[in-house]
Amino acid sequence: MELWIQENQTENLALKARVKETLFTKKSIYQEIGIFDTEEFGRMLVLDGVFQTSEFEEFVYHEMIVHVPFYTHKNPERVLIIGGGDGGSAREALRHKDVKEVRMVEIDGDVVEACKKYLKQNSIQLIEEDKEPRFTLEIGDGIKHVEETENYYDIIIVDCSDPIGPGEGLFTKKFYQNVLRALREDGIFVQQTESPFYHQELLKRVYKDVSTSFNYANVFLANIPIYPGGLHTFTIGSKKYDPLKFEEILPRVKEDLKYQYYNKDIHKAAFALPQFFKEILDSAAK
Amino acid sequence: MELWIQENQTENLALKARVKETLFTKKSIYQEIGIFDTEEFGRMLVLDGVFQTSEFEEFVYHEMIVHVPFYTHKNPERVLIIGGGDGGSAREALRHKDVKEVRMVEIDGDVVEACKKYLKQNSIQLIEEDKEPRFTLEIGDGIKHVEETENYYDIIIVDCSDPIGPGEGLFTKKFYQNVLRALREDGIFVQQTESPFYHQELLKRVYKDVSTSFNYANVFLANIPIYPGGLHTFTIGSKKYDPLKFEEILPRVKEDLKYQYYNKDIHKAAFALPQFFKEILDSAAK
């Protein structure tokens, strides 16, 4: 039997992975959830037909969305993760022993339950949440949580799906201004912001909005093979710390944490942008 | 009508692009050649079912395989391109006005003819070859040409297809030793060497072989959306110039050449390797 899961990455481009076994499917209130055991990527989470994360390569996304803002900050203690229902971002954040509080606000409890059961590599911390007093999971609306919070978090990580469906409100100027208020005076915000090859209009808009809200706005890159084009962006907004001051940032890197993708060279290299993309962002900021 | 071209990137992974029009197909002596006009990538060259190059993203591959070794060298005058039948590498090499000779040895004349006619963005220099006295096209065996050459080239670029079929002999230790002899005493060699996610055994072998032949062996990366995982490697072997001495290399970069992917930051960042891949290469070199 030939069983394949196919993501239509654009109207004219599709990526297909051979499936060993369908482990879980459910229509939640928010989206269609699938977890498939694939030959190429191991277990993979799929939301509304879009490949989200897999055992094969999840380390790239989660190490980069967490460790880059963490080391850019001098001493992050309170961390908010919006989305991130698979648990990978919480897992990486909690590897930092100095962190006092990691709160995850995920809108779709069904994603969390499915990943607890079928995607344990990502969700190990969720499973063991009873043993980790620093971690709080809230099933709820991250947009609302940020609206109601003031001067509290050191880092806010937006680990969301595409800006269609439940993730839509996380890509608005109003949201970024609420994030700004929810952060302490030296706080940092980071968000996954899609592909530099395929989502340039979105990227220009987000970069412009983050630039007008934060003192520092930068985009960094990571190679994520299951995403369109294999190259993905993260947008970082920072109130006080300049994400390009590598001479201050890199000495903070904890060498004893075992990384699979991240290292000091990669941290710095991630901010080097291809010429076409640099020009797009430069024109957006004008 | 739904017409799609599908590459089986591995046995368990496929990338599909919607086709507007099939422009050319032919079985040559060496391979099955196709040129398709696709919605996503514009015109795309496909050899034995493998996506090679397209109008949408060819600049990434061709700028990186040419400009990185060119600036690593102090003053390249004589350049050999093995393969590169689409013409993109020759085009980029000839943008360097100091270069005196660019010889391209491509085994499959049918690829050249097809690209002259249907992939003009890449092959513009081949079309105009009469007007460019620095350029020589030879339809023949690059392996043999290198065997018969001694102490002649400053740069040898191996712009080949996968190590199955006509490209196979270009990934052997014997070939690298012949390349070494064909280069001048400060010569540089560069080759496309597949994906760090999917072709690790090949990469380890090539890196080891190039390390034992050349004083300096390095791998650098580029983001090529039509290749498996979207991340591609190039292996560089250098007799005299250390490719990591960026403080000597980057001042040589010609800012007046118009790049779409390449710039100084990208040049340096391309040598920053993800931790898992760094460890694979380190273990191979031992």
Side-chain angles (χ1 to χ4, degrees):
Chain A
M1 187 174 68
E2 299 258 338
L3 184 63
W4 293 75
I5 172 86
Q6 172 172 321
E7 176 184 340
N8 298 322
Q9 297 186 322
T10 72
E11 206 183 315
N12 302 308
L13 187 66
L15 187 66
K16 281 169 64 174
R18 192 191 295 271
V19 170
K20 273 196 262 194
E21 195 185 348
T22 301
L23 298 171
F24 178 84
T25 58
K26 181 175 181 177
K27 276 207 164 183
S28 75
I29 312 173
Y30 299 102
Q31 54 206 337
E32 195 177 357
I33 305 165
I35 296 184
F36 301 89
D37 191 9
T38 69
E39 293 283 353
E40 198 65 54
F41 303 127
R43 293 180 174 210
M44 180 164 69
L45 173 67
V46 180
L47 298 178
D48 283 341
V50 178
F51 299 177
Q52 300 290 325
T53 186
S54 75
E55 291 175 326
F56 175 67
E57 46 65 69
E58 59 88 7
F59 63 89
V60 182
Y61 181 99
H62 295 119
E63 290 182 10
M64 292 302 277
I65 202 171
V66 169
H67 302 310
V68 172
F70 265 60
Y71 294 129
T72 301
H73 197 286
K74 213 169 174 181
N75 180 32
E77 292 185 335
R78 297 172 183 168
V79 179
L80 173 66
I81 297 164
I82 297 178
D86 61 284
S89 293
R91 181 197 67 205
E92 286 303 310
L94 289 163
R95 293 174 70 201
H96 291 266
K97 294 299 165 217
D98 307 333
V99 164
K100 299 206 166 114
E101 179 185 349
V102 175
R103 173 176 293 266
M104 185 172 132
V105 184
E106 160 65 52
I107 204 161
D108 195 339
D110 285 326
V111 170
V112 174
E113 289 311 310
C115 293
K116 271 191 186 177
K117 192 160 176 190
Y118 296 106
L119 204 61
K120 292 191 182 171
Q121 180 180 311
N122 291 42
S123 65
I124 185 157
Q125 292 293 345
L126 295 176
I127 302 161
E128 302 181 344
E129 64 198 75
D130 286 346
K131 293 180 207 149
E132 178 54 89
R134 299 179 295 161
F135 180 63
T136 312
L137 169 62
E138 182 186 327
I139 302 303
D141 184 352
I143 296 173
K144 202 159 155 265
H145 178 78
V146 160
E147 251 172 37
E148 293 163 353
T149 307
E150 210 176 314
N151 189 30
Y152 188 80
Y153 290 108
D154 297 308
I155 294 180
I156 295 178
I157 294 170
V158 184
D159 177 2
C160 58
S161 48
D162 296 348
I164 316 153
E168 201 169 342
L170 299 167
F171 291 86
T172 64
K173 196 166 181 177
K174 191 181 160 207
F175 172 68
Y176 300 133
Q177 283 168 343
N178 286 330
V179 163
L180 194 74
R181 217 194 41 247
L183 285 168
R184 279 167 154 171
E185 82 281 357
D186 59 350
I188 293 176
F189 153 79
V190 66
Q191 180 172 28
Q192 78 80 8
T193 41
E194 310 286 276
S195 156
F197 288 110
Y198 300 115
H199 308 103
Q200 296 175 353
E201 288 311 310
L202 174 80
L203 268 156
K204 283 199 288 198
R205 184 165 59 72
V206 169
Y207 181 67
K208 193 180 173 178
D209 289 347
V210 175
S211 296
T212 54
S213 302
F214 287 83
N215 286 329
Y216 299 98
N218 294 90
V219 176
F220 64 94
L221 302 169
N223 303 107
I224 303 181
I226 65 168
Y227 289 175
L231 184 63
H232 209 69
T233 68
F234 298 87
T235 300
I236 192 166
S238 177
K239 288 189 178 186
K240 184 181 155 190
Y241 305 105
D242 180 353
L244 301 182
K245 278 214 169 163
F246 301 115
E247 68 280 12
E248 288 176 15
I249 292 164
L250 297 182
R252 293 178 199 140
V253 173
K254 292 167 194 145
E255 307 266 17
D256 57 324
L257 293 190
K258 185 97 188 114
Y259 313 102
Q260 291 180 77
Y261 184 84
Y262 181 89
N263 57 42
K264 287 182 182 184
D265 289 343
I266 283 287
H267 184 130
K268 191 172 173 183
F271 288 86
L273 305 180
Q275 189 60 24
F276 76 94
F277 185 48
K278 195 171 172 299
E279 288 170 11
I280 284 169
L281 293 185
D282 286 349
S283 73
K286 267 176 199 156
Chain B
M1 186 174 69
E2 298 258 338
L3 184 62
W4 293 76
I5 173 85
Q6 172 172 320
E7 176 184 340
N8 298 321
Q9 297 187 322
T10 74
E11 206 182 316
N12 303 308
L13 187 66
L15 188 66
K16 281 168 65 174
R18 192 190 295 270
V19 171
K20 272 195 264 192
E21 194 185 347
T22 301
L23 298 170
F24 178 85
T25 59
K26 181 176 181 176
K27 276 206 164 182
S28 75
I29 312 173
Y30 299 101
Q31 55 207 336
E32 196 177 356
I33 304 164
I35 296 183
F36 301 89
D37 191 8
T38 68
E39 294 282 353
E40 197 66 55
F41 303 127
R43 293 181 173 208
M44 181 164 70
L45 173 67
V46 180
L47 298 178
D48 283 341
V50 178
F51 298 177
Q52 301 289 324
T53 186
S54 74
E55 291 175 325
F56 175 68
E57 46 64 70
E58 58 88 8
F59 64 88
V60 181
Y61 181 99
H62 295 119
E63 290 182 9
M64 292 302 277
I65 202 170
V66 169
H67 302 310
V68 172
F70 265 59
Y71 293 129
T72 301
H73 196 286
K74 212 167 172 180
N75 180 31
E77 293 184 335
R78 298 172 183 167
V79 178
L80 173 66
I81 297 164
I82 297 178
D86 61 285
S89 292
R91 180 198 66 204
E92 288 302 310
L94 289 163
R95 292 173 71 200
H96 292 265
K97 294 300 166 215
D98 307 334
V99 165
K100 298 206 166 113
E101 180 185 349
V102 175
R103 175 177 291 266
M104 185 173 132
V105 184
E106 161 65 54
I107 205 161
D108 196 338
D110 285 327
V111 170
V112 173
E113 289 312 310
C115 293
K116 271 190 189 178
K117 194 159 174 189
Y118 297 106
L119 204 62
K120 290 189 182 173
Q121 180 179 312
N122 291 42
S123 65
I124 185 157
Q125 291 294 346
L126 295 175
I127 303 159
E128 302 181 344
E129 66 197 74
D130 286 345
K131 292 180 208 149
E132 179 52 270
R134 299 178 297 160
F135 180 64
T136 312
L137 167 64
E138 183 186 324
I139 301 303
D141 184 351
I143 296 172
K144 201 160 156 264
H145 178 79
V146 160
E147 250 172 38
E148 294 163 354
T149 308
E150 210 177 313
N151 188 31
Y152 189 79
Y153 290 108
D154 297 308
I155 293 180
I156 295 179
I157 293 170
V158 184
D159 177 1
C160 58
S161 47
D162 297 348
I164 316 152
E168 201 170 340
L170 299 167
F171 291 86
T172 64
K173 194 164 182 178
K174 192 181 161 209
F175 172 67
Y176 300 133
Q177 283 168 342
N178 286 329
V179 163
L180 194 74
R181 217 196 39 247
L183 285 167
R184 279 167 154 170
E185 81 281 356
D186 60 350
I188 293 177
F189 153 78
V190 67
Q191 181 172 28
Q192 79 80 8
T193 42
E194 310 286 277
S195 156
F197 289 109
Y198 299 116
H199 308 103
Q200 296 175 354
E201 288 313 308
L202 173 82
L203 268 157
K204 283 200 288 199
R205 184 165 61 71
V206 169
Y207 182 68
K208 192 179 172 178
D209 288 349
V210 175
S211 296
T212 55
S213 301
F214 286 82
N215 287 329
Y216 299 98
N218 293 90
V219 176
F220 64 94
L221 302 169
N223 302 108
I224 303 180
I226 66 168
Y227 289 175
L231 184 64
H232 208 69
T233 68
F234 299 87
T235 300
I236 192 165
S238 178
K239 288 188 176 187
K240 184 181 154 190
Y241 305 104
D242 180 353
L244 301 182
K245 278 214 170 165
F246 301 115
E247 68 281 10
E248 288 177 14
I249 292 164
L250 297 183
R252 291 178 201 140
V253 172
K254 292 167 194 144
E255 307 266 17
D256 57 324
L257 292 191
K258 185 99 188 111
Y259 312 104
Q260 291 180 76
Y261 184 83
Y262 180 87
N263 58 42
K264 287 182 182 183
D265 288 344
I266 283 287
H267 184 131
K268 192 172 172 184
F271 288 86
L273 305 180
Q275 189 59 26
F276 76 94
F277 185 49
K278 197 171 171 299
E279 287 171 11
I280 284 169
L281 294 184
D282 286 349
S283 74
K286 268 173 197 159

